[in-house]
Amino acid sequence: MTTNIIKKWLIGCIAFVALVGCNSEQKQDTNANAQQQKQYQWKLVTSWPKNFPGLGLGPETFAKYVNEMSAGRLTVKVYGAGELVPGFEVFDAVSQGTADMGHSGAYYWKGKMPAAPIFSAIPFGMTATEFNAWLHFGGGLEMWQALYKPFGVVPMAGGNSGAQFAGWFKKEINSVEDLKGLKMRIPGLGGEVLKRAGAIPVNLTGGEIFSSLQSGAIDASEWVGPYNDLAFGFHQAAEYYYSSVWHETGTNLEFLVNEKALNSLPEDLQKIVEVAARAVNQNMLDEYNARNNNALQTLINKHNVQVKQFPVDVMLALKNYTKEVIEEKANADETFAKVWASYSEFLTNARQYNDLTMKAYYENR
Ligand code: CA
């Protein structure tokens, strides 16, 4: 059903683009016609292994959509992490034009731009639906574009994982005291928050987590959620699976486009890039929502995984430490403060709205 809807939508998009193309063609001279026929081949570098489930399929789907919508006038070749550039050099590669596009997560660039993590994941932040609303209709995208503009990079939303699980723990977390000395793989601001609670955040790539958990080099790890976590087999290395949502409440991924490369495309192809990215953004969230449900059932029923929630006092402590971390970042960086003001205002309103609607509905359905 979902596939059919996307297909219909894509056909609609193609028809629209073709229509716009026809109207403008009447006024175009032969040079413009030549531009219409020109073929473009783009390179897209990613921070994920090639064809990695969920995250890594986003750019592959994007390449497929663009190829189909442009009838082959724009083709996009996707490179996994390390194939053309290392995963953490995706932004620089797009900025410098080594690649025309990238697919990654904004929190990786916090060393370059302290405000960048707001465009991927903030502890106790917005849900995927709220984030997409803020981004596309609440002024978020304009701020994101302004942030990357000095680097000649145009950002677009590139998929959302939805709310992520707190992760896998080798021992139960019954109090804030249990977080002290806990060695946990958790990147980004979540790690900074956990550090304040006395834990020791560790940064490991996805491929290193399983063996580190199994050997006891780390006591806990977050990754994404049931769909991706089941694939890694983390249930074989840690006993307790905490479903508490706190550190990545609706993680947004990104498409990065080299500004010059984008502007060199005819207008219809530029629109195809934008619309394909927007389609992938929704598609990924839909896929996570569907597959997480099924994978959770498998973890509980087939692998007897114990799914738990952090106690209320642990959640409160994490929330208070989050406020401290965000306040410090806003004081240290003017742009962070400006983006955060917009984000937090939207979040405050969304919270009130959802308390009155979805929160009550979730409890009553
Ligand atoms: Ca994660």
Side-chain angles (χ1 to χ4, degrees):
M1 188 63 188
T2 309
T3 317
N4 280 339
I5 291 169
I6 291 170
K7 270 185 193 159
K8 276 181 196 163
W9 184 41
L10 287 179
I11 290 164
C13 291
I14 294 164
F16 172 73
V17 168
L19 195 67
V20 171
C22 288
N23 285 339
S24 54
E25 259 173 34
Q26 290 167 355
K27 302 170 206 154
Q28 279 169 351
D29 57 25
T30 44
N31 282 343
N33 275 330
Q35 197 201 21
Q36 284 289 325
Q37 295 313 315
K38 194 176 164 188
Q39 295 203 334
Y40 298 83
Q41 275 123 24
W42 274 14
K43 291 180 187 137
L44 189 159
V45 292
T46 76
S47 298
W48 337 111
K50 182 89 175 153
N51 284 320
F52 189 68
L55 315 181
L57 293 182
E60 302 291 344
T61 308
F62 173 82
K64 186 173 170 285
Y65 287 173
V66 166
N67 188 24
E68 287 173 4
M69 285 198 275
S70 71
R73 284 166 57 220
L74 173 59
T75 52
V76 179
K77 185 166 186 208
V78 179
Y79 295 86
E83 285 187 336
L84 198 63
V85 297
F88 291 135
E89 287 173 27
V90 165
F91 189 92
D92 287 342
V94 175
S95 174
Q96 289 153 13
T98 313
D100 307 284
M101 281 191 73
H103 190 253
S104 191
Y107 44 33
Y108 293 139
W109 327 125
K110 66 174 182 176
K112 207 185 284 291
M113 299 162 282
I118 303 175
F119 297 100
S120 57
I122 287 280
F124 294 94
M126 294 192 211
T127 64
T129 304
E130 291 164 354
F131 182 84
N132 281 324
W134 173 66
L135 200 65
H136 297 117
F137 292 93
L141 185 61
E142 290 77 8
M143 288 184 161
W144 198 13
Q145 287 167 341
L147 186 68
Y148 287 5
K149 179 88 178 162
F151 302 93
V153 174
V154 180
M156 296 174 188
N160 199 301
S161 69
Q164 300 197 5
F165 276 42
W168 298 87
F169 293 73
K170 292 179 83 104
K171 60 167 195 172
E172 282 186 73
I173 303 298
N174 293 319
S175 67
V176 182
E177 202 59 29
D178 289 335
L179 295 174
K180 297 212 162 80
L182 187 87
K183 273 172 111 175
M184 177 165 184
R185 183 268 176 197
I186 174 167
L189 294 188
E192 290 183 42
V193 170
L194 213 55
K195 196 174 175 182
R196 282 179 201 232
I200 304 154
V202 181
N203 224 340
L204 297 173
T205 62
E208 296 168 315
I209 299 173
F210 184 84
S211 58
S212 305
L213 258 183
Q214 205 172 37
S215 71
I218 54 172
D219 309 307
S221 178
E222 71 81 53
W223 179 234
V224 182
Y227 166 39
N228 285 165
D229 294 9
L230 174 65
F232 268 114
F234 294 143
H235 55 280
Q236 291 161 25
E239 201 174 337
Y240 304 103
Y241 195 19
Y242 279 85
S243 61
S244 303
V245 175
W246 75 276
H247 71 304
E248 296 192 53
T249 59
T251 303
N252 175 60
L253 301 173
E254 62 182 8
F255 281 113
L256 304 166
V257 192
N258 178 281
E259 195 179 12
K260 275 191 201 141
L262 185 64
N263 290 338
S264 75
L265 294 178
E267 272 180 29
D268 62 336
L269 291 185
Q270 289 186 33
K271 197 70 193 171
I272 285 176
V273 168
E274 188 191 315
V275 170
R278 194 70 190 272
V280 166
N281 189 49
Q282 185 63 46
N283 201 49
M284 191 185 292
L285 183 62
D286 297 345
E287 188 192 359
Y288 267 106
N289 282 337
R291 296 195 197 280
N292 273 335
N293 288 340
N294 293 339
L296 184 63
Q297 292 305 313
T298 304
L299 285 168
I300 293 171
N301 298 323
K302 194 174 165 198
H303 300 296
N304 301 315
V305 167
Q306 295 190 49
V307 181
K308 293 188 163 286
Q309 289 274 323
F310 287 152
V312 175
D313 63 331
V314 169
M315 290 297 273
L316 272 178
L318 293 172
K319 198 170 170 181
N320 287 333
Y321 288 128
T322 296
K323 276 184 197 151
E324 284 179 22
V325 168
I326 289 175
E327 214 165 280
E328 264 178 33
K329 296 204 177 288
N331 288 336
D333 185 75
E334 208 178 307
T335 309
F336 188 106
K338 195 177 146 209
V339 180
W340 177 249
S342 167
Y343 183 105
S344 58
E345 188 193 344
F346 196 93
L347 177 56
T348 302
N349 294 341
R351 188 183 290 126
Q352 187 179 14
Y353 185 91
N354 286 322
D355 280 355
L356 290 168
T357 54
M358 296 319 292
K359 188 181 171 192
Y361 173 64
Y362 281 149
E363 282 165 6
N364 290 321
R365 71 175 170 176

